[in-house]
Amino acid sequence: MTVTDETTEAALQERFDATLADGRKIEPRDWMPEPYRQTMIRQIAQHAHSEVIGQQPEGNWITRAPTLARKAVLVAKVQDEAGHGLYLYSACETLGISRDELNRRLHEGRQKYSSIFNYPTLTWADVGAIGWLVDGAAITNQVMLTRTSYGPYARAMIRICKEESFHQRQGFEIMHTLATGTDEQRAMAQDALDRWWWPSISMFGPPDAESVHTEQSVAWGIKLETNDQLRQKFVDQTVPQADYLGLRIPDPDLRWNEERGHYDFGAIDWDDFWKVVRGDGPCNRERLEHKRATWEAGAWVREAALAHAAKKSGRDTTTEEAR
Amino acid sequence: MRASEQGWPLWEVFVRADRGLNHVHAGSVHAVDAETALQAARDVYTRRAEGVSIWVVRSTEIVASDPDRRDDWFGDLKPYRHPTFYEIPDAIGHM
Ligand SMILES: [Fe+2]
Ligand SMILES: [Fe+2]
């Protein structure tokens, strides 16, 4: 449908605004302003890509998990992340963009994924730290997003949040086992916390004062809390957990502020954050190269499946789809 | 364009959580045919045995009403179809 009549467009905008003002959801076939659609595509795609790329750092430890039980849990967790990516691609496609186009934009570096996955997993404790901290931070953000204004995104988030809590708990349990183990194991847990703490609290994005998207996203009901509010929530929840583990959070400025009723914490190194976002983190190139390589290596499977379906249906769907 | 880039068809997935409940829309999957669509739907949407049955429907086969014409479809409220439209004296008790 093309809307050329200005009054019609104004009426549509008014109805869109009223839907948001009432706290109701925007659904795929509703009229929506083009910038809202593009913002939603960008955000859901980036979220989907993060779930998919996020399989790599943890997948790195599947063959070396310390016990069969740990291995089974890790496989189930990584499999969930693949599922999360697929729920989100499915939600994103309702905005009128194809799966192939989303893959292409990721592979060509035109859409991003969360920078957290550009750090390496050097020891088994990193698998614990990721579940505890990275999934923990993701959950804080995702719980908010279950109430986001775009219906398919909100529903995907509800499904995802139900599955996430096991991710964080298995990570915490790994950390607990190491933290109550030998001196060497405790040192390994502490080292993982030291390396993952700052990247984890950076996951919420730049401070509100510098965030280009926050204000508009709040106005559109996409975000219901700001980056700084979510970060504070995560820090407040996590500090007591670190205390319980007997591990030290690597921030000399971290202390309870009685007056605010929150933990104060030190300044994040945003230069490092932006360096990783721009592509110069420790694993950026490796992650994207691996993703592209698996996509290429899987091409014959996709082609064979199409050929098989065409043969079975007795017609050439290959040429039909190509038109 | 490579053959594999032509995109597998899109299927909408509906999951029945338990006997006696409706199939509810869960999301979508890409698959070349009905059989593999069902398998993909099981792997993607029921990793924790969330269902007792799955439907998959080619997305292009779904015919939907136009949400921009909601009033034409659903605007006719007819409040007298609801029991609360009628006043019943307290004296006669629950009805
Ligand atoms: Fe996830
Ligand atoms: Fe997760």
Side-chain angles (χ1 to χ4, degrees):
Chain A
M1 186 177 63
T2 43
V3 180
T4 44
D5 185 355
E6 266 178 40
T7 52
T8 314
E9 172 115 27
L12 290 170
Q13 177 75 48
E14 206 171 288
R15 205 165 68 188
F16 174 83
D17 293 341
T19 305
L20 290 182
D22 286 358
R24 283 178 295 135
K25 304 290 179 216
I26 305 299
E27 293 296 343
R29 292 176 46 125
D30 290 346
W31 180 90
M32 60 189 89
E34 201 47 30
Y36 177 87
R37 184 184 298 277
Q38 293 310 323
T39 298
M40 226 53 257
I41 288 176
R42 183 180 51 78
Q43 181 169 338
I44 301 175
Q46 180 167 331
H47 198 156
H49 299 329
S50 301
E51 303 282 356
V52 169
I53 298 285
Q55 295 174 90
Q56 289 184 42
E58 290 182 291
N60 180 36
W61 280 91
I62 289 175
T63 55
R64 292 169 291 159
T67 66
L68 185 58
R70 294 282 188 212
K71 182 174 180 167
V73 169
L74 185 56
V75 168
K77 200 249 185 204
V78 171
Q79 203 178 27
D80 272 354
E81 305 302 3
H84 297 174
L86 296 175
Y87 304 160
L88 288 162
Y89 284 130
S90 161
C92 200
E93 285 177 277
T94 64
L95 290 156
I97 187 165
S98 74
R99 184 79 59 101
D100 280 335
E101 177 61 17
L102 291 167
N103 274 315
R104 198 172 303 126
R105 290 186 186 180
L106 172 63
H107 295 157
E108 291 173 2
R110 289 191 286 138
Q111 278 177 338
K112 295 198 181 307
Y113 55 87
S114 176
S115 277
I116 192 76
F117 303 117
N118 289 319
Y119 294 90
T121 41
L122 304 178
T123 73
W124 170 251
D126 289 22
V127 174
I130 288 181
W132 174 38
L133 300 173
V134 175
D135 287 81
I139 291 167
T140 309
N141 188 42
Q142 290 175 155
V143 165
M144 167 192 77
L145 288 172
T146 60
R147 294 176 291 128
T148 195
S149 60
Y150 188 57
Y153 192 27
R155 291 191 286 276
M157 280 300 126
I158 291 168
R159 194 176 288 279
I160 286 174
C161 282
K162 276 188 198 156
E163 301 182 350
E164 284 291 353
S165 77
F166 128 68
H167 297 182
Q168 193 182 17
R169 283 167 182 229
Q170 63 87 35
F172 186 79
E173 195 198 74
I174 290 171
M175 293 302 271
H176 187 245
T177 304
L178 293 172
T180 53
T182 64
D183 287 351
E184 224 180 337
Q185 286 173 316
R186 207 167 15 254
M188 200 193 262
Q190 182 62 54
D191 167 64
L193 172 56
D194 288 346
R195 284 180 293 107
W196 288 95
W197 174 254
W198 291 104
S200 296
I201 66 169
S202 306
M203 279 173 69
F204 298 97
D208 296 346
E210 288 159 39
S211 171
V212 282
H213 302 301
T214 293
E215 204 184 316
Q216 183 57 263
S217 289
V218 169
W220 275 331
I222 297 172
K223 277 178 96 86
L224 296 111
E225 287 161 275
T226 68
N227 297 353
D228 286 334
Q229 286 170 333
L230 291 167
R231 188 168 11 247
Q232 182 72 61
K233 196 181 262 186
F234 175 70
V235 170
D236 289 347
Q237 281 167 4
T238 310
V239 175
Q241 296 165 1
D243 288 346
Y244 178 85
L245 293 173
L247 298 175
R248 183 187 43 79
I249 289 176
D251 179 357
D253 298 323
L254 185 78
R255 59 182 58 83
W256 177 251
N257 183 325
E258 191 67 58
E259 216 171 289
R260 291 201 310 128
H262 293 291
Y263 284 92
D264 290 336
F265 51 94
I268 294 172
D269 180 357
W270 292 109
D271 288 343
D272 184 65
F273 173 81
W274 288 114
K275 194 185 85 186
V276 182
V277 170
R278 279 193 305 266
D280 293 321
C283 302
N284 295 55
R285 270 169 288 273
E286 184 187 330
R287 299 290 185 239
L288 207 52
E289 259 162 40
H290 182 75
K291 177 67 178 68
R292 284 198 212 106
T294 54
W295 179 252
E296 283 301 314
W300 72 270
V301 179
R302 298 190 294 276
E303 283 162 18
L306 279 170
H308 177 71
K311 192 174 121 193
K312 244 185 16 182
S313 69
R315 67 203 161 94
D316 192 356
T317 53
T318 325
T319 50
E320 183 191 279
E321 301 282 346
R323 243 179 277 139
Chain B
M1 196 192 270
R2 300 180 59 153
S4 66
E5 271 188 43
Q6 283 150 17
W8 289 359
L10 191 63
W11 304 74
E12 299 302 318
V13 178
F14 300 81
V15 177
R16 183 203 287 281
D18 203 353
R19 289 178 68 87
L21 298 177
N22 295 319
H23 283 78
V24 175
H25 186 244
S28 61
V29 293
H30 286 272
V32 290
D33 57 22
E35 196 185 331
T36 51
L38 266 182
Q39 285 167 357
R42 184 202 57 191
D43 291 347
V44 175
Y45 292 102
T46 61
R47 282 191 304 284
R48 288 167 177 76
E50 286 93 340
V52 294
S53 140
I54 300 176
W55 288 348
V56 290
V57 184
R58 276 289 292 261
S59 305
T60 49
E61 298 296 320
I62 290 183
V63 181
S65 64
D66 181 355
D68 291 331
R69 290 183 51 210
R70 191 178 54 197
D71 285 352
D72 300 348
W73 287 88
F74 311 109
D76 191 8
L77 288 174
K78 295 195 176 70
Y80 48 83
R81 282 188 166 143
H82 296 272
T84 47
F85 183 78
Y86 305 92
E87 252 180 61
I88 301 296
D90 287 345
I92 68 162
H94 180 76
M95 182 181 278

